[in-house]
Amino acid sequence: KERFLKQIENEEYVNLDNVNKNIKDDKNLMIKYISVWGFGFGGISKRLKNDKDVIIAAIKKLPHNITDKSINKKYLKDKDIIKILIIEKSLKNMHIDVFKILDDKYKKSKNFVIKLMKYLREDLFFCLDKKLMNDKDIISNHIKHIYKAKDFEKLLSKIDKKYLKNKKFILSILKEE
């Protein structure tokens, strides 16, 4: 236990596959471990994967940890956890899988989606509901953020044709680039 703690304090990577079960079930040690490394959440005990403090430490370091299948679904609606997932620091590190499990309140929020677009780029647009996918501001922001993306043709195929035919709209986006 002391050796494990020293390794964490010295920021030496420790593979949890090689660690005693008692250590994997020690809440304080696992919070320290996850706070340093972020990954490794999959290697901790099932009991700790459903401890709110451990989940919070894990998602603060790496928001994608919330997608672990063994986490109780109730935590996906927990206000403290959601607050952490939607702050700017988390948005910068957000993976599309995290967006997919967010509550519809966020997935259908135009302002939230626009804010997130600068980080998730091309993936996000294709996960939106039809109403947002056809929103002029969403389309405009998406095009701005993926102007050089490799799936530009895929994007154009999903955009409502009325916007593609609107020369002023397209030129206004391109001018901003």
Side-chain angles (χ1 to χ4, degrees):
K1 188 174 177 175
E2 286 78 32
R3 188 171 136 232
F4 182 78
L5 188 55
K6 274 275 192 242
Q7 288 174 302
I8 294 171
E9 288 168 355
N10 294 329
E11 294 188 8
E12 293 176 35
Y13 174 70
V14 180
N15 184 339
L16 289 181
D17 292 339
N18 304 327
V19 173
N20 174 314
K21 284 183 182 181
N22 293 334
I23 291 176
K24 291 182 195 183
D25 199 44
D26 184 308
K27 180 177 176 175
N28 293 328
L29 281 178
M30 289 301 102
I31 287 177
K32 286 179 184 175
Y33 178 82
I34 288 171
S35 297
V36 171
W37 295 107
F39 53 87
F41 187 76
I44 68 175
S45 72
K46 286 182 182 182
R47 180 183 73 83
L48 290 181
K49 283 184 184 180
N50 282 293
D51 181 286
K52 185 175 175 177
D53 296 328
V54 175
I55 294 170
I56 287 174
I59 64 172
K60 277 183 176 178
K61 190 69 175 177
L62 189 64
H64 191 258
N65 282 323
I66 196 67
T67 63
D68 188 290
K69 300 289 184 217
S70 56
I71 293 177
N72 188 311
K73 300 275 186 236
K74 73 179 180 182
Y75 291 112
L76 300 177
K77 304 248 188 243
D78 185 278
K79 288 179 184 177
D80 298 324
I81 289 172
I82 295 298
K83 263 189 225 177
I84 293 166
L85 289 173
I86 64 170
I87 61 172
E88 192 77 21
K89 182 182 175 200
S90 292
L91 296 181
K92 288 178 182 177
N93 298 313
M94 189 175 283
H95 188 274
I96 194 65
D97 291 340
V98 177
F99 176 77
K100 288 177 182 178
I101 64 171
L102 285 176
D103 189 80
D104 280 351
K105 169 180 159 183
Y106 299 101
K107 291 193 287 192
K108 293 183 179 189
S109 165
K110 180 176 173 174
N111 292 334
F112 179 73
V113 167
I114 287 173
K115 188 176 178 182
L116 192 54
M117 282 183 150
K118 63 182 165 185
Y119 305 114
L120 283 178
R121 303 201 191 302
E122 63 269 0
D123 291 343
L124 181 60
F125 185 79
F126 303 107
C127 295
L128 300 177
D129 71 359
K130 205 168 190 87
K131 183 180 177 190
L132 282 180
M133 223 183 228
N134 287 312
D135 182 278
K136 185 177 181 178
D137 296 327
I138 295 287
I139 294 168
S140 173
N141 272 280
H142 186 62
I143 291 173
K144 285 178 204 171
H145 294 297
I146 66 129
Y147 186 71
K148 296 175 183 169
K150 57 187 170 276
D151 69 346
F152 199 65
E153 285 183 34
K154 181 180 175 189
L155 166 70
L156 294 176
S157 72
K158 299 286 184 181
I159 293 176
D160 191 317
K161 301 302 179 223
K162 71 181 177 188
Y163 295 117
L164 294 176
K165 291 176 184 175
N166 183 333
K167 188 175 179 179
K168 283 184 182 177
F169 175 69
I170 298 296
L171 287 174
S172 72
I173 293 167
L174 297 175
K175 281 180 186 175
E176 291 180 32
E177 288 301 313

